[in-house]
Amino acid sequence: MGLELDFSVVLERWRALLDGAALTLQLAFIAVICGAAIGVFGAIGRRGGNALVERLCGAYVEAIRNTPLLVQIFLVYFGLSSLGLKFSAFTVAAVALTINVGAYTTEIMRAGFDSIHKGQIEAAEGLGLSRAQIYWHVIIWPGIERVYPALTSQFVLLMLASSVTSQISAEELTAVANYIQSETYRSFETYIVVAFIYIALSFVMRFGFWLLGLALFPRRRRLGTPL
């Protein structure tokens, strides 16, 4: 019996697939913005000199890095419900993804901040810059620039990992694919199409981060350093 592929019944539902892809990008965008902020403050906390803050930030990072994303999503989903807080599946998914990527971003940011030579910090102190000015001009932006490729890769991986939020009925791309294959009984064709959509979304995000990198770090563009 030969394999007969019929993509027409899947492509007929292109609007649903487009809506799912858009929701996937929305989830990724929210998690990236909020997770990046968590990463900056978490990295500062891990190297700030306060033992209690360092331990709390370290515990957060290790807890997230050593538990599956799906379990984290369930903990947020059922945890908020047990407290009597009712949120949409989209909101819960965005919160869980933010918490997850924030931990990984913290470690990436910390590596970037630690790469700044102590001599640069001492020079800034000698010029009379405040602690906040030193962090902003000498540590944070140069540190982010050095780890920007790693950050963008992590954010793209986050977008791909958002597929597991379909388990709490978030209407992202994989959830839409599940509905389509249950209606059409064309599972193989459905997931082939969805795989290509994820590939396209990955390229879109990478291109967007490349443009953002050119805008944020013009020195690299002048030097011809790859982003």
Side-chain angles (χ1 to χ4, degrees), residues 47 113-126 134 138-139 146:
R47 62 189 307 277
F113 297 169
D114 288 344
S115 71
I116 304 300
H117 196 278
K118 290 183 179 180
Q120 293 178 265
I121 299 174
E122 292 171 355
E125 291 173 344
I134 291 173
V138 181
I139 299 176
R146 293 184 181 187

Side-chain angles (χ1 to χ4, degrees), residues 3-23:
L3 177 63
E4 295 181 3
L5 299 178
D6 181 9
F7 290 95
S8 61
V9 293
V10 178
L11 297 178
E12 286 173 357
R13 294 161 172 78
W14 64 271
R15 286 186 180 276
L17 291 169
L18 187 61
D19 290 341
L23 196 73

Side-chain angles (χ1 to χ4, degrees), residues 91-204:
T91 300
V92 173
V95 170
L97 291 174
T98 297
I99 293 172
N100 179 271
V101 78
Y104 288 95
T105 305
T106 294
E107 284 300 276
I108 295 173
M109 294 283 195
R110 184 169 71 96
F113 297 169
D114 288 344
S115 71
I116 304 300
H117 196 278
K118 290 183 179 180
Q120 293 178 265
I121 299 174
E122 292 171 355
E125 291 173 344
L127 292 173
L129 271 66
S130 67
R131 184 177 178 84
Q133 289 175 320
I134 291 173
Y135 257 104
W136 182 254
H137 296 290
V138 181
I139 299 176
I140 292 179
W141 277 112
I144 292 176
E145 181 178 3
R146 293 184 181 187
V147 297
Y148 189 71
L151 282 174
T152 58
S153 295
Q154 184 62 49
F155 294 153
V156 172
L157 288 174
L158 166 75
M159 183 274 294
L160 298 175
S162 68
S163 60
V164 300
T165 62
S166 61
Q167 297 298 309
I168 58 170
S169 301
E171 299 288 335
E172 47 74 60
L173 184 57
T174 298
V176 172
N178 293 338
Y179 295 143
I180 292 176
Q181 66 88 21
S182 66
E183 292 176 352
T184 63
Y185 300 100
R186 290 288 180 177
S187 302
F188 189 46
E189 294 93 326
T190 299
Y191 290 112
I192 287 177
V193 171
V194 167
F196 277 104
I197 294 175
Y198 273 117
I199 291 172
L201 293 179
S202 297
F203 278 111
V204 167

